[in-house]
Amino acid sequence: MTPRIEVSALDCLTLRLFDRIDERNMPWLLAAAERLTERLGSALIDLVPSYTTLLIHYDLNRLTADQARAEVLGALNGLTAAEDLGGREHLMPVWYDRRVGPELALIAERAGLDVDTVIERHAAHAYQVFALGFAPGFAFMGLVDECLATPRLATPRKRVAAGSVGIADRQTAAYPVASPGGWNLIGRTPVRLFDYRQDGYSLLRPGDRVRFEPIDHAAFLRLGGDDSAMPSMEYDR
């Protein structure tokens, strides 16, 4: 690990700890986030973790750019990886089906597998939540089995239904709200991922781990899932 500090804005620094996405990064990123939060105190406006970086938004009325940089370097002194990520474990039910996951067959064909095996492999791993972004509550998770890695769609859909579960390269995610999107859809979860009434709004946070649990259509509906917006109605071919 060779930390680098980059200027992102007049009052923002990016602390880059790694150059490659890896699940082993998260203990270091969370440890650095805790140190920075303690060290910067009230001068810290926001701290945003990502795959390999931390975005540090600080108060210019309390710190100069040079002081902020010095504080960041000081926070890294003797840094060790967090032993306990402190995140929550989530079991997320998913209805894996071509009706809501039109790329299931495509991924299976690319991997030389049948659809049932694709589902088994996707549901076999506990995924690390790396970052939130794109839309409120949208959690970037990984890493999926290499054989399931699939590039984003060349043309994004105009509308992806809330709860849609997809794959993009070696990442996986569930759409918290209906929005445009270019991920390969493989199923849908009935879980509410974003709710302004809950603390922090987002169900998932960096450091959490998620395991997907295959369920059938009846269970999906019983748990409050909505199958009314099928992909064929969501975008134009």
Side-chain angles (χ1 to χ4, degrees), residues 35-117:
R35 281 277 192 90
L36 287 163
T37 300
E38 292 174 355
R39 185 156 185 125
L40 293 173
S42 58
L44 182 66
I45 295 175
D46 199 9
L47 188 64
V48 183
S50 188
Y51 305 95
T52 59
T53 63
L54 289 165
L55 179 69
I56 305 155
H57 182 193
Y58 61 92
D59 188 346
L60 279 174
N61 292 315
R62 293 176 177 270
L63 293 174
T64 66
D66 287 341
Q67 288 172 333
R69 182 180 289 270
E71 291 294 340
V72 172
L73 288 172
L76 296 178
N77 251 346
L79 184 70
T80 57
E83 293 183 6
D84 181 7
L85 297 185
R88 296 169 295 173
E89 299 279 341
H90 303 267
L91 186 63
M92 189 176 296
V94 177
W95 174 38
Y96 293 94
D97 192 275
R98 290 181 175 89
R99 286 170 284 178
V100 290
E103 277 74 61
L104 259 176
L106 170 66
I107 292 173
E109 182 181 352
R110 287 174 59 100
L113 304 170
D114 57 48
V115 167
D116 287 342
T117 303

Side-chain angles (χ1 to χ4, degrees), residues 132 135-138 174-177 191-198 200-204:
L132 299 180
F138 189 101
Y175 285 77
V177 294
V191 174
R192 185 184 292 273
L193 298 163
F194 176 78
D195 189 340
Y196 69 89
R197 295 168 296 185
Q198 68 184 9
Y201 304 142
S202 175
L203 174 67
L204 305 178

Side-chain angles (χ1 to χ4, degrees), residues 121-226:
R121 293 201 180 185
H122 184 259
H125 185 64
Y127 296 101
Q128 182 76 63
V129 177
F130 289 115
L132 299 180
F134 170 63
F138 189 101
F140 293 87
M141 296 178 273
L143 296 167
V144 300
D145 191 311
E146 286 188 25
C147 72
L148 304 183
T150 308
R152 287 174 172 81
L153 301 178
T155 303
R157 291 180 168 88
K158 295 179 180 178
R159 183 178 184 276
V160 175
S164 294
V165 176
I167 291 174
D169 299 313
R170 293 196 64 195
Q171 301 171 97
T172 190
Y175 285 77
V177 294
S179 68
W183 290 44
N184 300 275
L185 304 185
I186 58 174
R188 193 174 295 178
T189 179
V191 174
R192 185 184 292 273
L193 298 163
F194 176 78
D195 189 340
Y196 69 89
R197 295 168 296 185
Q198 68 184 9
D199 181 36
Y201 304 142
S202 175
L203 174 67
L204 305 178
R205 302 179 187 182
D208 286 358
R209 295 185 77 82
V210 176
R211 187 179 291 277
F212 296 106
E213 178 185 34
I215 58 173
D216 60 21
H217 187 212
F220 174 76
L221 294 177
R222 188 169 63 251
L223 291 170
D226 181 8

